[in-house]
Amino acid sequence: MSDARAGLKRRVAGVVAESRDELIGISRHLHANPEIRWQEHGSVTYLADRLRASGFAVEVGAGGLETAFVASRGTGARKVAFVAEYDALEGLGHACGHNIIAAAGVGAGIALASLADELDLTVIVVGTPAEEGGGGKIPMLEAGVFDDLEFAMMVHPGPADSVYARPFAVAHFDVGYEGFSAHAAAYPHLGVNASDAMLVAQVAIGLLRQQLPSTVRVHGIVREAGTAPNAIPDSARGSWYVRASSMEELQATLERVSRCFEAGAIATGCSWNLTETSPRYDVFRNDEPLARAFAANAAELGRDMDLHERGAGGMNTASTDMGNISQRVRAIHPYLSIDSLPVVNHQAGFADAAITPAADRALLEGATLLAQTAVDGLIAAD
């Protein structure tokens, strides 16, 4: 590595170190004020104010989404983006650690912006809503928010370090059944049981799993299935995900699963509907030079990012709308351990783990590593 590159990487690390208290404060504020998908108004206002205070010009409502933003600093021809997620999980708060993601993205943006003039840069922090089941990045991508970038990067907390994202493609959808209510004891023959329709579908899906490949996941919840045991339920509602190793496999699997829901309607006489609630998330295309640079920088900080993927896939197999970005833009999405085991993402305990000293370390190192990897990527391109 040239002395000049090493010097630039030390400088961005120094900026992150100087911003330590501010970045941890950002993480703690978001954690204490969780907002679920499409409702992240307070989070966006807070992050926009922090970025403006650091010299960024901020546009709220980017891509036509109320809780999205684009913050930019510098006027250079080369554009680099760091992605911030900040939505929480319904009922679980920041049990996926998006408070860390947002703070690390902001920290990386502030650090790299200190080199904007020297490297002919425009540094962008993209605030993306509704990653948890809403796919906020996808309409932003279609609206041109990610156009003309050298690359886009983010980090994600988890129970273990991993440099590669290997997520499933996913479709999110709601299913509803409509039947006819009646007194369950006196007039059962007049009822059409929507709860039974949902049960038939669940049994069919359970049996279908025996014939599904290991590259597929099907899971969901029943949100509504009646209100009183002596009244035949006239409606039932559920929310489901189908995941697969490619968009083609996803489509084929969704067709098979849809027939299971149709079976519930046929068996009971209910009407039914299936509505996709988000654009479909694609698989992730890892940029190898950026991934290797990130792993090398992480090794300097004592993290083994497992370039050879010796361990079994864990959180790095979870679906993300960042996959859609990676199909058009050079991208990486590494995972940094916050020493949470045996607790893992989307468990209540992970929200507690997301504000520990180990989480703060992941945040600060994540910001540093993103900025340093950006330096590597820019200079390698030269």
mmCIF file of all heavy atoms in Angstrom, residues 237-278:
data_model
loop_
_atom_site.group_PDB
_atom_site.id
_atom_site.type_symbol
_atom_site.label_atom_id
_atom_site.label_comp_id
_atom_site.label_asym_id
_atom_site.label_seq_id
_atom_site.Cartn_x
_atom_site.Cartn_y
_atom_site.Cartn_z
ATOM 1 N N ARG A 237 -56.890 -13.229 8.292
ATOM 2 C CA ARG A 237 -55.819 -12.485 7.643
ATOM 3 C C ARG A 237 -54.474 -13.038 8.091
ATOM 4 O O ARG A 237 -54.283 -13.397 9.247
ATOM 5 C CB ARG A 237 -55.881 -10.997 8.021
ATOM 6 C CG ARG A 237 -57.200 -10.296 7.675
ATOM 7 C CD ARG A 237 -57.277 -9.973 6.193
ATOM 8 N NE ARG A 237 -58.541 -9.268 5.887
ATOM 9 C CZ ARG A 237 -59.668 -9.865 5.559
ATOM 10 N NH1 ARG A 237 -59.708 -11.199 5.510
ATOM 11 N NH2 ARG A 237 -60.754 -9.176 5.287
ATOM 12 N N GLY A 238 -53.547 -13.068 7.165
ATOM 13 C CA GLY A 238 -52.184 -13.506 7.487
ATOM 14 C C GLY A 238 -51.167 -12.758 6.662
ATOM 15 O O GLY A 238 -51.483 -12.191 5.608
ATOM 16 N N SER A 239 -49.934 -12.731 7.149
ATOM 17 C CA SER A 239 -48.805 -12.126 6.433
ATOM 18 C C SER A 239 -47.712 -13.169 6.284
ATOM 19 O O SER A 239 -47.348 -13.845 7.272
ATOM 20 C CB SER A 239 -48.268 -10.910 7.191
ATOM 21 O OG SER A 239 -49.237 -9.887 7.277
ATOM 22 N N TRP A 240 -47.158 -13.280 5.065
ATOM 23 C CA TRP A 240 -46.253 -14.372 4.747
ATOM 24 C C TRP A 240 -45.063 -13.883 3.919
ATOM 25 O O TRP A 240 -45.152 -12.869 3.219
ATOM 26 C CB TRP A 240 -47.002 -15.457 3.958
ATOM 27 C CG TRP A 240 -48.016 -16.159 4.819
ATOM 28 C CD1 TRP A 240 -49.225 -15.691 5.202
ATOM 29 C CD2 TRP A 240 -47.852 -17.424 5.445
ATOM 30 N NE1 TRP A 240 -49.852 -16.595 6.021
ATOM 31 C CE2 TRP A 240 -49.020 -17.673 6.187
ATOM 32 C CE3 TRP A 240 -46.834 -18.381 5.435
ATOM 33 C CZ2 TRP A 240 -49.208 -18.836 6.923
ATOM 34 C CZ3 TRP A 240 -47.020 -19.549 6.156
ATOM 35 C CH2 TRP A 240 -48.193 -19.770 6.892
ATOM 36 N N TYR A 241 -43.974 -14.640 4.026
ATOM 37 C CA TYR A 241 -42.793 -14.432 3.186
ATOM 38 C C TYR A 241 -42.480 -15.741 2.469
ATOM 39 O O TYR A 241 -42.589 -16.830 3.051
ATOM 40 C CB TYR A 241 -41.547 -14.078 4.003
ATOM 41 C CG TYR A 241 -41.506 -12.708 4.643
ATOM 42 C CD1 TYR A 241 -42.596 -11.836 4.628
ATOM 43 C CD2 TYR A 241 -40.349 -12.289 5.294
ATOM 44 C CE1 TYR A 241 -42.534 -10.597 5.225
ATOM 45 C CE2 TYR A 241 -40.279 -11.046 5.902
ATOM 46 C CZ TYR A 241 -41.369 -10.203 5.874
ATOM 47 O OH TYR A 241 -41.293 -8.969 6.478
ATOM 48 N N VAL A 242 -42.076 -15.619 1.213
ATOM 49 C CA VAL A 242 -41.448 -16.733 0.493
ATOM 50 C C VAL A 242 -40.057 -16.261 0.086
ATOM 51 O O VAL A 242 -39.905 -15.173 -0.479
ATOM 52 C CB VAL A 242 -42.257 -17.146 -0.750
ATOM 53 C CG1 VAL A 242 -41.459 -18.139 -1.598
ATOM 54 C CG2 VAL A 242 -43.583 -17.757 -0.338
ATOM 55 N N ARG A 243 -39.048 -17.063 0.370
ATOM 56 C CA ARG A 243 -37.656 -16.731 0.039
ATOM 57 C C ARG A 243 -37.065 -17.833 -0.849
ATOM 58 O O ARG A 243 -37.447 -18.999 -0.731
ATOM 59 C CB ARG A 243 -36.803 -16.587 1.301
ATOM 60 C CG ARG A 243 -37.360 -15.616 2.333
ATOM 61 C CD ARG A 243 -36.413 -15.485 3.508
ATOM 62 N NE ARG A 243 -37.024 -14.901 4.672
ATOM 63 C CZ ARG A 243 -36.760 -13.679 5.152
ATOM 64 N NH1 ARG A 243 -35.882 -12.912 4.530
ATOM 65 N NH2 ARG A 243 -37.369 -13.231 6.233
ATOM 66 N N ALA A 244 -36.115 -17.440 -1.683
ATOM 67 C CA ALA A 244 -35.492 -18.410 -2.590
ATOM 68 C C ALA A 244 -34.130 -17.891 -3.027
ATOM 69 O O ALA A 244 -33.775 -16.729 -2.776
ATOM 70 C CB ALA A 244 -36.384 -18.674 -3.797
ATOM 71 N N SER A 245 -33.374 -18.745 -3.707
ATOM 72 C CA SER A 245 -31.984 -18.420 -4.058
ATOM 73 C C SER A 245 -31.863 -17.600 -5.336
ATOM 74 O O SER A 245 -30.762 -17.204 -5.712
ATOM 75 C CB SER A 245 -31.175 -19.711 -4.206
ATOM 76 O OG SER A 245 -31.696 -20.495 -5.264
ATOM 77 N N SER A 246 -32.964 -17.358 -6.025
ATOM 78 C CA SER A 246 -32.955 -16.529 -7.235
ATOM 79 C C SER A 246 -34.351 -15.987 -7.441
ATOM 80 O O SER A 246 -35.335 -16.516 -6.885
ATOM 81 C CB SER A 246 -32.517 -17.330 -8.458
ATOM 82 O OG SER A 246 -33.512 -18.292 -8.797
ATOM 83 N N MET A 247 -34.465 -14.977 -8.261
ATOM 84 C CA MET A 247 -35.789 -14.430 -8.559
ATOM 85 C C MET A 247 -36.635 -15.445 -9.318
ATOM 86 O O MET A 247 -37.862 -15.503 -9.145
ATOM 87 C CB MET A 247 -35.644 -13.134 -9.356
ATOM 88 C CG MET A 247 -34.974 -12.003 -8.584
ATOM 89 S SD MET A 247 -35.943 -11.429 -7.168
ATOM 90 C CE MET A 247 -36.831 -10.041 -7.906
ATOM 91 N N GLU A 248 -36.009 -16.264 -10.139
ATOM 92 C CA GLU A 248 -36.741 -17.277 -10.891
ATOM 93 C C GLU A 248 -37.285 -18.359 -9.955
ATOM 94 O O GLU A 248 -38.456 -18.766 -10.069
ATOM 95 C CB GLU A 248 -35.839 -17.897 -11.952
ATOM 96 C CG GLU A 248 -35.410 -16.948 -13.057
ATOM 97 C CD GLU A 248 -34.332 -15.951 -12.626
ATOM 98 O OE1 GLU A 248 -33.639 -16.202 -11.610
ATOM 99 O OE2 GLU A 248 -34.201 -14.910 -13.309
ATOM 100 N N GLU A 249 -36.446 -18.817 -9.031
ATOM 101 C CA GLU A 249 -36.906 -19.809 -8.067
ATOM 102 C C GLU A 249 -37.984 -19.216 -7.157
ATOM 103 O O GLU A 249 -38.924 -19.908 -6.766
ATOM 104 C CB GLU A 249 -35.727 -20.318 -7.237
ATOM 105 C CG GLU A 249 -36.091 -21.443 -6.283
ATOM 106 C CD GLU A 249 -34.909 -21.962 -5.495
ATOM 107 O OE1 GLU A 249 -34.203 -21.134 -4.864
ATOM 108 O OE2 GLU A 249 -34.666 -23.182 -5.503
ATOM 109 N N LEU A 250 -37.852 -17.941 -6.840
ATOM 110 C CA LEU A 250 -38.854 -17.268 -6.018
ATOM 111 C C LEU A 250 -40.218 -17.294 -6.699
ATOM 112 O O LEU A 250 -41.241 -17.620 -6.079
ATOM 113 C CB LEU A 250 -38.414 -15.835 -5.744
ATOM 114 C CG LEU A 250 -39.379 -14.966 -4.940
ATOM 115 C CD1 LEU A 250 -39.576 -15.525 -3.544
ATOM 116 C CD2 LEU A 250 -38.865 -13.526 -4.875
ATOM 117 N N GLN A 251 -40.252 -16.964 -7.976
ATOM 118 C CA GLN A 251 -41.521 -16.942 -8.696
ATOM 119 C C GLN A 251 -42.150 -18.336 -8.733
ATOM 120 O O GLN A 251 -43.354 -18.493 -8.486
ATOM 121 C CB GLN A 251 -41.310 -16.431 -10.126
ATOM 122 C CG GLN A 251 -42.543 -16.470 -11.010
ATOM 123 C CD GLN A 251 -43.689 -15.627 -10.497
ATOM 124 O OE1 GLN A 251 -43.464 -14.618 -9.838
ATOM 125 N NE2 GLN A 251 -44.918 -16.029 -10.782
ATOM 126 N N ALA A 252 -41.337 -19.337 -9.018
ATOM 127 C CA ALA A 252 -41.854 -20.706 -9.094
ATOM 128 C C ALA A 252 -42.386 -21.170 -7.743
ATOM 129 O O ALA A 252 -43.439 -21.819 -7.657
ATOM 130 C CB ALA A 252 -40.764 -21.650 -9.591
ATOM 131 N N THR A 253 -41.676 -20.830 -6.670
ATOM 132 C CA THR A 253 -42.112 -21.246 -5.340
ATOM 133 C C THR A 253 -43.371 -20.509 -4.919
ATOM 134 O O THR A 253 -44.289 -21.099 -4.330
ATOM 135 C CB THR A 253 -40.990 -20.988 -4.316
ATOM 136 O OG1 THR A 253 -39.794 -21.639 -4.746
ATOM 137 C CG2 THR A 253 -41.379 -21.518 -2.947
ATOM 138 N N LEU A 254 -43.439 -19.222 -5.225
ATOM 139 C CA LEU A 254 -44.627 -18.448 -4.869
ATOM 140 C C LEU A 254 -45.872 -19.018 -5.550
ATOM 141 O O LEU A 254 -46.950 -19.053 -4.950
ATOM 142 C CB LEU A 254 -44.424 -16.984 -5.246
ATOM 143 C CG LEU A 254 -45.559 -16.020 -4.876
ATOM 144 C CD1 LEU A 254 -45.820 -16.046 -3.377
ATOM 145 C CD2 LEU A 254 -45.231 -14.606 -5.339
ATOM 146 N N GLU A 255 -45.732 -19.495 -6.775
ATOM 147 C CA GLU A 255 -46.880 -20.092 -7.462
ATOM 148 C C GLU A 255 -47.352 -21.349 -6.727
ATOM 149 O O GLU A 255 -48.557 -21.579 -6.583
ATOM 150 C CB GLU A 255 -46.503 -20.411 -8.907
ATOM 151 C CG GLU A 255 -46.323 -19.159 -9.768
ATOM 152 C CD GLU A 255 -45.777 -19.460 -11.148
ATOM 153 O OE1 GLU A 255 -45.615 -20.667 -11.481
ATOM 154 O OE2 GLU A 255 -45.520 -18.503 -11.907
ATOM 155 N N ARG A 256 -46.404 -22.154 -6.249
ATOM 156 C CA ARG A 256 -46.773 -23.378 -5.528
ATOM 157 C C ARG A 256 -47.439 -23.040 -4.188
ATOM 158 O O ARG A 256 -48.432 -23.666 -3.791
ATOM 159 C CB ARG A 256 -45.551 -24.254 -5.302
ATOM 160 C CG ARG A 256 -44.890 -24.741 -6.589
ATOM 161 C CD ARG A 256 -43.675 -25.603 -6.310
ATOM 162 N NE ARG A 256 -44.050 -26.921 -5.799
ATOM 163 C CZ ARG A 256 -43.162 -27.841 -5.432
ATOM 164 N NH1 ARG A 256 -41.856 -27.584 -5.507
ATOM 165 N NH2 ARG A 256 -43.571 -29.011 -4.971
ATOM 166 N N VAL A 257 -46.881 -22.061 -3.494
ATOM 167 C CA VAL A 257 -47.449 -21.667 -2.202
ATOM 168 C C VAL A 257 -48.834 -21.048 -2.391
ATOM 169 O O VAL A 257 -49.747 -21.283 -1.587
ATOM 170 C CB VAL A 257 -46.486 -20.702 -1.485
ATOM 171 C CG1 VAL A 257 -47.142 -20.094 -0.241
ATOM 172 C CG2 VAL A 257 -45.199 -21.431 -1.096
ATOM 173 N N SER A 258 -49.005 -20.286 -3.458
ATOM 174 C CA SER A 258 -50.315 -19.678 -3.727
ATOM 175 C C SER A 258 -51.392 -20.738 -3.879
ATOM 176 O O SER A 258 -52.546 -20.551 -3.455
ATOM 177 C CB SER A 258 -50.249 -18.821 -4.995
ATOM 178 O OG SER A 258 -49.393 -17.722 -4.823
ATOM 179 N N ARG A 259 -51.038 -21.876 -4.470
ATOM 180 C CA ARG A 259 -52.021 -22.946 -4.629
ATOM 181 C C ARG A 259 -52.435 -23.526 -3.274
ATOM 182 O O ARG A 259 -53.561 -24.025 -3.122
ATOM 183 C CB ARG A 259 -51.471 -24.025 -5.566
ATOM 184 C CG ARG A 259 -51.392 -23.567 -7.012
ATOM 185 C CD ARG A 259 -51.205 -24.727 -7.973
ATOM 186 N NE ARG A 259 -49.885 -25.320 -7.892
ATOM 187 C CZ ARG A 259 -48.825 -24.929 -8.600
ATOM 188 N NH1 ARG A 259 -48.946 -23.906 -9.444
ATOM 189 N NH2 ARG A 259 -47.669 -25.539 -8.492
ATOM 190 N N CYS A 260 -51.541 -23.467 -2.292
ATOM 191 C CA CYS A 260 -51.904 -23.918 -0.946
ATOM 192 C C CYS A 260 -52.969 -23.004 -0.344
ATOM 193 O O CYS A 260 -53.917 -23.475 0.307
ATOM 194 C CB CYS A 260 -50.670 -23.949 -0.049
ATOM 195 S SG CYS A 260 -49.425 -25.166 -0.527
ATOM 196 N N PHE A 261 -52.812 -21.711 -0.559
ATOM 197 C CA PHE A 261 -53.833 -20.783 -0.065
ATOM 198 C C PHE A 261 -55.144 -20.950 -0.835
ATOM 199 O O PHE A 261 -56.232 -20.863 -0.256
ATOM 200 C CB PHE A 261 -53.318 -19.347 -0.150
ATOM 201 C CG PHE A 261 -52.265 -19.037 0.874
ATOM 202 C CD1 PHE A 261 -50.931 -18.897 0.513
ATOM 203 C CD2 PHE A 261 -52.606 -18.893 2.206
ATOM 204 C CE1 PHE A 261 -49.965 -18.620 1.458
ATOM 205 C CE2 PHE A 261 -51.643 -18.613 3.175
ATOM 206 C CZ PHE A 261 -50.317 -18.483 2.798
ATOM 207 N N GLU A 262 -55.033 -21.210 -2.112
ATOM 208 C CA GLU A 262 -56.227 -21.472 -2.897
ATOM 209 C C GLU A 262 -56.948 -22.723 -2.392
ATOM 210 O O GLU A 262 -58.187 -22.770 -2.354
ATOM 211 C CB GLU A 262 -55.865 -21.624 -4.375
ATOM 212 C CG GLU A 262 -57.064 -21.817 -5.282
ATOM 213 C CD GLU A 262 -56.674 -22.014 -6.741
ATOM 214 O OE1 GLU A 262 -55.472 -22.229 -7.020
ATOM 215 O OE2 GLU A 262 -57.572 -21.943 -7.599
ATOM 216 N N ALA A 263 -56.173 -23.708 -1.974
ATOM 217 C CA ALA A 263 -56.772 -24.941 -1.452
ATOM 218 C C ALA A 263 -57.632 -24.654 -0.233
ATOM 219 O O ALA A 263 -58.697 -25.274 -0.049
ATOM 220 C CB ALA A 263 -55.670 -25.937 -1.101
ATOM 221 N N GLY A 264 -57.185 -23.737 0.616
ATOM 222 C CA GLY A 264 -57.989 -23.372 1.776
ATOM 223 C C GLY A 264 -59.330 -22.805 1.369
ATOM 224 O O GLY A 264 -60.368 -23.098 1.991
ATOM 225 N N ALA A 265 -59.320 -21.980 0.328
ATOM 226 C CA ALA A 265 -60.571 -21.395 -0.153
ATOM 227 C C ALA A 265 -61.482 -22.455 -0.751
ATOM 228 O O ALA A 265 -62.700 -22.486 -0.505
ATOM 229 C CB ALA A 265 -60.260 -20.308 -1.182
ATOM 230 N N ILE A 266 -60.923 -23.359 -1.545
ATOM 231 C CA ILE A 266 -61.726 -24.409 -2.189
ATOM 232 C C ILE A 266 -62.341 -25.325 -1.143
ATOM 233 O O ILE A 266 -63.519 -25.696 -1.216
ATOM 234 C CB ILE A 266 -60.861 -25.204 -3.176
ATOM 235 C CG1 ILE A 266 -60.449 -24.317 -4.363
ATOM 236 C CG2 ILE A 266 -61.599 -26.448 -3.649
ATOM 237 C CD1 ILE A 266 -59.418 -24.954 -5.267
ATOM 238 N N ALA A 267 -61.534 -25.703 -0.135
ATOM 239 C CA ALA A 267 -62.011 -26.652 0.869
ATOM 240 C C ALA A 267 -63.149 -26.096 1.708
ATOM 241 O O ALA A 267 -64.033 -26.847 2.153
ATOM 242 C CB ALA A 267 -60.853 -27.064 1.771
ATOM 243 N N THR A 268 -63.159 -24.799 1.944
ATOM 244 C CA THR A 268 -64.134 -24.216 2.866
ATOM 245 C C THR A 268 -65.237 -23.415 2.179
ATOM 246 O O THR A 268 -66.255 -23.103 2.807
ATOM 247 C CB THR A 268 -63.414 -23.270 3.850
ATOM 248 O OG1 THR A 268 -62.746 -22.237 3.109
ATOM 249 C CG2 THR A 268 -62.403 -24.034 4.691
ATOM 250 N N GLY A 269 -65.034 -23.058 0.917
ATOM 251 C CA GLY A 269 -66.001 -22.226 0.223
ATOM 252 C C GLY A 269 -65.797 -20.739 0.430
ATOM 253 O O GLY A 269 -66.663 -19.931 0.067
ATOM 254 N N CYS A 270 -64.678 -20.353 1.013
ATOM 255 C CA CYS A 270 -64.369 -18.934 1.209
ATOM 256 C C CYS A 270 -63.888 -18.312 -0.101
ATOM 257 O O CYS A 270 -63.379 -18.993 -0.995
ATOM 258 C CB CYS A 270 -63.264 -18.762 2.249
ATOM 259 S SG CYS A 270 -63.763 -19.108 3.938
ATOM 260 N N SER A 271 -64.014 -17.013 -0.194
ATOM 261 C CA SER A 271 -63.276 -16.271 -1.207
ATOM 262 C C SER A 271 -61.923 -15.898 -0.612
ATOM 263 O O SER A 271 -61.748 -15.902 0.620
ATOM 264 C CB SER A 271 -64.047 -15.020 -1.630
ATOM 265 O OG SER A 271 -64.245 -14.160 -0.527
ATOM 266 N N TRP A 272 -60.970 -15.579 -1.465
ATOM 267 C CA TRP A 272 -59.638 -15.294 -0.933
ATOM 268 C C TRP A 272 -58.909 -14.316 -1.829
ATOM 269 O O TRP A 272 -59.281 -14.089 -2.992
ATOM 270 C CB TRP A 272 -58.826 -16.582 -0.784
ATOM 271 C CG TRP A 272 -58.300 -17.154 -2.077
ATOM 272 C CD1 TRP A 272 -59.022 -17.699 -3.094
ATOM 273 C CD2 TRP A 272 -56.932 -17.207 -2.485
ATOM 274 N NE1 TRP A 272 -58.210 -18.107 -4.106
ATOM 275 C CE2 TRP A 272 -56.908 -17.825 -3.770
ATOM 276 C CE3 TRP A 272 -55.735 -16.820 -1.921
ATOM 277 C CZ2 TRP A 272 -55.719 -18.047 -4.467
ATOM 278 C CZ3 TRP A 272 -54.554 -17.044 -2.602
ATOM 279 C CH2 TRP A 272 -54.554 -17.649 -3.863
ATOM 280 N N ASN A 273 -57.867 -13.700 -1.291
ATOM 281 C CA ASN A 273 -57.011 -12.810 -2.058
ATOM 282 C C ASN A 273 -55.591 -12.871 -1.522
ATOM 283 O O ASN A 273 -55.365 -13.152 -0.329
ATOM 284 C CB ASN A 273 -57.529 -11.363 -2.016
ATOM 285 C CG ASN A 273 -57.558 -10.804 -0.612
ATOM 286 O OD1 ASN A 273 -56.544 -10.372 -0.080
ATOM 287 N ND2 ASN A 273 -58.733 -10.833 0.020
ATOM 288 N N LEU A 274 -54.644 -12.644 -2.413
ATOM 289 C CA LEU A 274 -53.222 -12.574 -2.070
ATOM 290 C C LEU A 274 -52.683 -11.266 -2.653
ATOM 291 O O LEU A 274 -52.811 -11.034 -3.858
ATOM 292 C CB LEU A 274 -52.471 -13.787 -2.622
ATOM 293 C CG LEU A 274 -50.989 -13.928 -2.261
ATOM 294 C CD1 LEU A 274 -50.566 -15.402 -2.314
ATOM 295 C CD2 LEU A 274 -50.071 -13.121 -3.175
ATOM 296 N N THR A 275 -52.085 -10.446 -1.803
ATOM 297 C CA THR A 275 -51.593 -9.135 -2.215
ATOM 298 C C THR A 275 -50.142 -8.979 -1.794
ATOM 299 O O THR A 275 -49.826 -9.061 -0.591
ATOM 300 C CB THR A 275 -52.425 -8.011 -1.574
ATOM 301 O OG1 THR A 275 -53.805 -8.200 -1.891
ATOM 302 C CG2 THR A 275 -51.960 -6.650 -2.084
ATOM 303 N N GLU A 276 -49.249 -8.786 -2.753
ATOM 304 C CA GLU A 276 -47.854 -8.521 -2.392
ATOM 305 C C GLU A 276 -47.751 -7.126 -1.791
ATOM 306 O O GLU A 276 -48.286 -6.152 -2.329
ATOM 307 C CB GLU A 276 -46.950 -8.662 -3.614
ATOM 308 C CG GLU A 276 -46.866 -10.106 -4.110
ATOM 309 C CD GLU A 276 -45.727 -10.359 -5.079
ATOM 310 O OE1 GLU A 276 -44.588 -9.927 -4.791
ATOM 311 O OE2 GLU A 276 -45.984 -10.980 -6.125
ATOM 312 N N THR A 277 -47.069 -7.016 -0.671
ATOM 313 C CA THR A 277 -47.033 -5.781 0.108
ATOM 314 C C THR A 277 -45.738 -5.000 -0.065
ATOM 315 O O THR A 277 -45.559 -3.955 0.566
ATOM 316 C CB THR A 277 -47.231 -6.102 1.598
ATOM 317 O OG1 THR A 277 -46.243 -7.057 2.017
ATOM 318 C CG2 THR A 277 -48.625 -6.675 1.831
ATOM 319 N N SER A 278 -44.860 -5.479 -0.907
ATOM 320 C CA SER A 278 -43.572 -4.824 -1.120
ATOM 321 C C SER A 278 -43.037 -5.264 -2.472
ATOM 322 O O SER A 278 -43.364 -6.358 -2.950
ATOM 323 C CB SER A 278 -42.580 -5.234 -0.023
ATOM 324 O OG SER A 278 -41.249 -4.936 -0.371
#
